[in-house]
């Protein structure tokens, strides 16, 4: 069944795009070029419309065509099924722009761009970006287009240059950029232009080849999917297609690209090899390789590279490798598509957010907006920053929605678990004789007479326990069904991912504003080679080329550069200091509050048990409770109100004097009474100190526990006086179980929300950003005082290096936060 083509109206300026890189031979056999163009066109349709879309040229579903090209041997059923099962999970990229990245060299590069520029694709959310080895005007004069044979110019030079000019005009010269080497960092525009010309025209080819390889290396490490059009054979050249493929499979060469300094691992996405040959290659295919095959980074494959003539030999027949990592590739694309579907289009809130991020306060507390000034001075800089800011706000908004749903799910599960346990206790302990007429018997007659009458007939069913047991089963089953439904929505995973994306984009935004030209994706969760790759890819998609940020910042007057850095200090460092400080305080107090509540509830259960045990030994205690039930109730409620008020007041005092509250002083006074405790580090003394701490915490819970116990026992007595309860002792046993379970759930709530771990993490980050705000304030004052002399450039570099190091620490914290939450997901049943 065919499907109507899906049209994507989103642009890369609004949302992250899916990046497809193209590399291959500059000269192809004619029949191979035609076949490669057909396969690329089919691939683009598959990416946009999904596996079930019927190819208009072949009339078959795209999935069938892909599987036939990947595994043409019909007898190899297991391999075909592995490809089919994995690729069937590809999501149609209905809301995701697709960017085709190509170096515009003749042959495979231009062939793929021409397909992307066809109306079918250009009108359906396909865009072209071209990372070039040289600036566009210099590139057309390079040996790629101007060739010589024994000193004689090639007659096809003019035609190649004309084709290049036509394609470049179609995609727009603003979408072409020259890839810079690590050694280019810090050079002025004049120095860069001189270096590019030198490397292009130098008689030593190593300079020119290094530029060509850098452009290919850029593709290998920035794309979700790299398409290589070549014969699959190894090459002696260190700059050709095979070298770029090796960079994709093994990782980038150190020291080539500026952003690859911290990124030596291979990119996570696969490589799609389209078999094609040079014109001078043998005419027959030979059957050594399939026309289409997927290769994966060697780190993913136990078979790695078996050597021989072909790169990645054997991978195309590794069933488990293809099944696992193609499925992961599809999940990565699904995460990107889901985010783009949920993220809102730019609106008024995003405009306000952008203005907020570009505002700073002077020493007098007056706000100074910088957004309008930047848009007037450097509109391209402001527009590029706005794109990153909009995406960050979209990710933060989506994270907030999913986080609310996760918290609601957790609260509902805890509440249902409590009700289920209480229903179970009622089923187990509710007195059965009450169902036959109660303690007073039928119609108020003596219980003995009622029991005699009931024994003559059939026993009356115990409806109370039956209903309670049924409720326990329904509540437990409902909790599991509710969790299964909520878990299938993946609110927790998506919320965590969106939070990680928002925090990564926060660092990237301020790195861009400060003109660092650094890459968050090259420093973010490098050990996580999974579907989390989509986070790094999404950040890359809205920030490349990274060199533009250094150029934008360098073009600002020095006064505006300092203003931009003040916005970084206010919008990032001060804001994060306040955020982490507030989060530490709230998580710290919530951790202690929930643990105190849990201990109080559990202690109330223990005190209730002690009361009923004493009541069994001294029957006058139970009769006294029934006689003075109202006094017990009012006394317990009064004590409960009093302890709550004192606790609230102490909490306010504790927040006001965080490091000077009564508990440590009281402990110190107690320690002073312990002989030899001061300054003694012997194990026995440490044991005494810990015992004192536990005793103080224990006694701190007793008033609240006594209040709960007295109020609940008094209420039981009142209900017994009103003849509502059949047997106060059995209901008291149920109440004991309720307090113990409620106390356990209160502690579990604190542990499940990880208040303790996060409080420690937030406290450390608050200290880090507190130090950073003090240092940056001093550095900006020094920078402003040297605004007009030669020391300015050196001091500016120091500030940028400090911001880069601070950003890496923030990224590490974000990664730890994400892994901490992914390692402890919400579960309805846990052993241990």
């Amino acid at each position: 069944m065919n499907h109507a083509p899906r049209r994507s109206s989103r642009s890369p300026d609004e949302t992250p795009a899916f990046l497809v890189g193209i590399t291959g031979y500059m000269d192809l056999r004619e029949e191979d070029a035609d076949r490669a163009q057909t396969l690329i066109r089919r691939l683009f349709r598959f990416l946009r419309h999904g596996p079930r879309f019927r190819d208009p040229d072949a009339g078959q579903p795209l999935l069938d065509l892909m599987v036939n090209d990947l595994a043409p041997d019909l007898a190899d059923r297991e391999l075909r099924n592995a490809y089919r099962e994995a690729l069937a999970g590809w999501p149609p990229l209905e809301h995701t722009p697709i960017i085709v990245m190509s170096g515009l060299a003749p042959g495979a590069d231009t062939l793929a761009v021409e397909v992307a520029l066809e109306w079918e694709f250009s009108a359906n959310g396909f865009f072209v970006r071209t990372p070039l080895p040289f600036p566009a005007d210099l590139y057309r004069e390079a040996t790629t287009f101007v060739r010589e044979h024994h000193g004689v110019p090639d007659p096809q030079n003019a035609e190649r240059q004309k084709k290049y000019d036509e394609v470049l005009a179609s995609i727009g010269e603003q979408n072409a950029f020259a890839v810079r080497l690590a050694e280019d960092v810090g050079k002025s525009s004049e120095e860069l232009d001189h270096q590019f010309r030198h490397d292009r025209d130098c008689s030593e080819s190593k300079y020119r080849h290094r530029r060509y390889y850098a452009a290919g290396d850029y593709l290998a490490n920035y794309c979700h999917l790299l398409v290589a059009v070549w014969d699959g054979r190894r090459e002696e050249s260190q700059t050709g297609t095979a070298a770029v493929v090796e960079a994709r499979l093994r990782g980038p060469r150190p020291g080539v690209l500026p952003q690859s300094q911290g990124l030596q691992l291979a990119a996570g996405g696969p490589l799609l090899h389209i078999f094609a040959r040079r014109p001078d290659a043998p005419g027959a295919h030979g059957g050594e390789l399939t026309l289409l095959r997927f290769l994966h980074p060697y780190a993913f494959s136990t078979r790695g590279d078996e050597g021989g003539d072909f790169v990645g030999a054997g991978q195309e027949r590794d069933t488990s490798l293809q099944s696992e990592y193609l499925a992961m590739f599809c999940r990565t694309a699904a995460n990107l598509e889901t985010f783009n579907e949920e993220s809102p289009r730019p609106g008024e809130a995003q405009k306000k957010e952008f203005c907020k991020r570009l505002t700073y306060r002077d020493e007098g507390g007056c706000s100074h907006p910088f957004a309008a000034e930047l848009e007037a001075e450097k509109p391209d800089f402001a527009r590029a920053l706005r794109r990153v800011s909009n995406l960050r706000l979209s990710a933060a908004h989506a994270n907030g929605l999913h986080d609310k749903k996760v918290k609601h799910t957790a609260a509902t599960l805890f509440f249902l678990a409590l009700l289920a346990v209480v229903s179970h206790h009622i089923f187990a302990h509710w007195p059965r004789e009450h169902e036959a007429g109660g303690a007073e018997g039928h119609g108020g007659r003596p219980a003995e007479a009622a029991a005699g009458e009931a024994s003559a007939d059939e026993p009356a069913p115990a409806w109370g326990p039956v209903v309670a047991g049924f409720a326990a089963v329904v509540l437990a089953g409902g909790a599991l069904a509710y969790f299964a439904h909520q878990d299938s929505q993946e609110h927790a995973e998506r919320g965590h991912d969106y939070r990680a994306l928002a925090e990564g984009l926060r660092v990237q935004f301020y790195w861009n504003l400060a003109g660092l030209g650094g890459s968050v994706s090259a420093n973010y969760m490098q050990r996580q080679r999974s579907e989390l790759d989509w986070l790094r890819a999404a950040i890359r998609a809205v920030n490349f080329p990274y060199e533009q940020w250094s150029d934008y910042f360098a073009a600002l007057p020095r006064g505006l550069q300092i203003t931009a850095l003040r916005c970084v200090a206010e919008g990032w460092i001060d804001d994060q200091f306040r955020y982490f400080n507030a989060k530490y305080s709230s998580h710290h107090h919530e951790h202690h509050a929930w643990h105190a509540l849990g201990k109080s509830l559990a202690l109330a259960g223990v005190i209730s048990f002690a009361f009923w045990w004493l009541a069994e030994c001294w029957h006058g205690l139970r009769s006294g409770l029934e006689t003075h039930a109202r006094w017990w109730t009012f006394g317990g409620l009064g004590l409960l109100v009093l302890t709550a008020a004192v606790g609230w007041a102490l909490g306010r005092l504790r927040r006001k004097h965080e490091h000077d509250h009564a508990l440590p002083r009281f402990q110190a006074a107690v320690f002073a009474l312990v002989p030899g405790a001061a300054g003694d580090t012997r194990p026995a003394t440490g044991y005494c100190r810990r015992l004192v701490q536990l005793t103080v915490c224990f006694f701190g819970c007793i008033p609240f526990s006594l209040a709960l116990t007295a109020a609940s026992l008094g209420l039981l007595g009142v209900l017994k006086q009103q003849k509502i309860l059949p047997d106060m002792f059995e209901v008291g046993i149920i109440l004991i179980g309720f307090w113990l379970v409620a106390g356990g759930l209160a502690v579990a709530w604190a542990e499940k929300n990880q208040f303790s771990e996060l409080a420690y993490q937030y406290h450390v980050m608050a200290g880090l950003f507190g130090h950073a705000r003090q240092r940056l304030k001093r550095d900006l004052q020094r920078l402003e005082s040297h605004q007009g002399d030669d020391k300015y450039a050196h001091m500016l570099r120091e500030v940028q290096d400090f911001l880069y190091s601070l950003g890496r620490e923030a990224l590490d914290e974000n990664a730890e936060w994400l892994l901490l939450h992914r390692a402890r997901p919400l579960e309805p049943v846990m052993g241990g």
Side-chain angles (χ1 to χ4, degrees), residues 548-816:
Q548 65 178 331
W549 305 108
S550 300
D551 295 341
Y552 288 146
F553 187 84
L556 291 175
R558 288 186 174 182
L560 292 185
Q561 289 180 352
I562 296 176
T563 302
L565 293 176
R566 292 194 183 281
C567 292
V568 173
E570 171 72 22
W572 180 27
I573 297 178
D574 290 357
D575 179 73
Q576 288 292 277
F577 170 74
R578 292 189 293 267
Y579 169 82
F580 283 119
N581 214 22
K583 280 291 185 179
Y584 159 70
S585 180
S586 65
H587 279 66
H588 176 75
H589 291 297
E590 285 193 70
H591 168 73
H592 288 289
W594 280 102
H595 273 266
L597 177 62
K599 287 185 286 188
S600 299
L601 293 174
L603 187 58
V606 173
I607 295 175
S608 298
F609 171 78
F611 174 86
W612 289 117
W613 178 73
L614 291 174
E616 286 294 301
C617 301
W618 179 29
H619 293 284
L621 185 61
R622 182 187 300 188
S623 61
L625 172 62
E626 294 183 15
T627 305
H628 306 288
R630 283 183 171 81
W631 290 106
W632 281 71
T633 304
F634 293 137
L637 292 176
L639 183 59
L640 193 64
V641 173
L642 178 62
T643 54
V646 172
W648 177 83
L650 289 177
R652 290 292 301 272
L653 183 64
R654 199 171 195 174
R655 285 175 172 83
K656 187 175 181 180
H657 305 285
E658 186 70 34
H659 304 289
D660 185 29
H661 46 80
L663 186 58
R665 292 203 302 270
F666 177 72
Q667 290 178 355
V670 176
F671 292 155
L673 301 178
V674 180
D680 198 337
T681 58
R682 289 176 298 176
T685 303
Y687 170 77
C688 293
R689 293 175 66 88
R690 183 59 179 162
L691 181 62
V692 169
Q693 289 177 346
L694 293 176
T695 303
V696 170
C697 293
F698 172 78
F699 280 108
C701 298
I702 287 181
F704 190 74
S705 301
L706 285 175
L708 286 176
T709 304
S712 59
L713 291 177
L715 182 61
L716 293 183
V718 172
L719 295 177
K720 184 66 173 66
Q721 290 177 350
Q722 301 297 322
K723 300 180 180 180
I724 297 176
L725 291 181
D727 187 351
M728 192 166 56
F729 176 80
E730 295 292 345
V731 180
I733 297 300
I734 296 173
L735 187 64
I736 292 173
F738 172 79
W739 291 133
L740 293 175
V741 171
L745 287 176
V747 175
W749 179 263
E751 297 302 316
K752 180 56 64 177
N753 285 277
Q754 306 175 48
F755 290 136
S756 177
E757 296 90 337
L758 292 177
Y760 173 79
Q761 189 168 337
Y762 291 147
H763 184 57
V764 171
M765 293 305 294
L768 177 65
F769 277 95
H771 162 73
R773 71 199 296 245
Q774 294 177 4
R775 171 172 172 172
L776 190 59
K777 180 181 179 180
R778 183 181 68 253
D779 289 347
L780 289 179
Q781 290 175 349
R782 293 175 54 213
L783 191 64
E784 191 168 20
S785 64
H786 292 278
Q787 185 174 341
D789 56 36
D790 296 336
K791 295 182 180 180
Y792 177 84
H794 175 72
M795 296 178 63
L796 175 63
R797 174 50 58 186
E798 288 184 348
V799 171
Q800 291 176 328
D801 289 343
F802 175 71
L803 293 176
Y804 181 74
S805 300
L806 180 64
R808 294 187 64 178
E809 291 295 329
L811 293 175
D812 289 342
E813 187 273 334
N814 293 333
E816 291 172 3

Side-chain angles (χ1 to χ4, degrees), residues 276-334:
R277 297 155 295 180
R278 290 190 173 97
D280 56 355
H285 175 207
E288 300 97 333
L289 297 177
T290 57
L291 295 179
L292 208 65
R293 63 173 181 151
F294 278 104
L295 300 179
H296 303 274
Y298 293 144
F300 293 161
S301 174
T302 55
R303 301 179 67 168
D305 188 1
E306 298 179 354
D309 292 336
F310 297 101
V311 177
Q315 277 203 23
E316 68 273 10
R317 300 194 62 80
D318 191 330
T319 303
S320 60
L321 175 73
Q322 299 295 343
S323 177
E324 180 179 358
Y325 288 102
L326 283 180
M328 186 178 71
F329 176 60
C330 293
R331 291 198 301 272
T332 300

Side-chain angles (χ1 to χ4, degrees), residues 309-382:
D309 292 336
F310 297 101
V311 177
Q315 277 203 23
E316 68 273 10
R317 300 194 62 80
D318 191 330
T319 303
S320 60
L321 175 73
Q322 299 295 343
S323 177
E324 180 179 358
Y325 288 102
L326 283 180
M328 186 178 71
F329 176 60
C330 293
R331 291 198 301 272
T332 300
N335 289 336
L336 181 62
E337 171 66 12
T338 301
F339 173 75
N340 288 337
E341 183 179 0
E342 294 181 349
S343 63
R345 292 179 181 271
E348 193 62 31
Q350 292 175 327
K351 294 179 182 178
K352 292 180 180 179
E353 174 70 11
F354 180 69
C355 294
K356 175 184 176 182
R357 294 297 164 188
L358 291 182
T359 300
Y360 73 95
R361 295 179 182 274
D362 57 22
E363 295 182 356
C366 298
S367 296
H368 296 273
F370 179 56
E373 190 174 1
L374 182 64
E375 288 176 340
E377 184 73 24
K378 292 294 177 183
D380 292 342
F381 193 10

Side-chain angles (χ1 to χ4, degrees), residues 239-259:
T239 60
T241 302
V244 176
V245 171
E246 289 286 356
R248 179 71 170 187
L249 300 182
R250 296 187 186 276
R253 295 178 190 170
V256 177
L257 298 178
Q259 288 76 33

Side-chain angles (χ1 to χ4, degrees), residues 384-402:
L385 283 173
R386 188 185 295 275
R387 182 169 67 246
V388 182
S389 174
N390 290 347
L391 180 58
R392 195 209 70 81
L393 184 62
S394 297
H397 176 71
N399 164 60
L401 295 178
H402 287 288

Side-chain angles (χ1 to χ4, degrees), residues 437-509:
E440 298 298 329
H442 292 284
R445 287 170 292 170
E448 294 80 1
E453 293 182 10
S455 62
D457 302 320
E458 236 180 85
W463 290 111
V466 170
V467 173
F470 178 75
V473 173
V474 170
L475 288 169
L480 290 175
Y482 175 75
F483 172 78
H485 171 72
Q486 294 297 103
D487 188 57
S488 66
Q489 306 298 315
E490 298 182 341
H491 292 305
E493 292 82 359
R494 285 155 65 185
H496 297 157
D497 287 358
Y498 296 163
R499 196 261 192 185
L501 176 61
E503 295 306 314
L505 286 167
R506 183 198 303 274
V507 175
Q508 187 68 73
F509 176 85

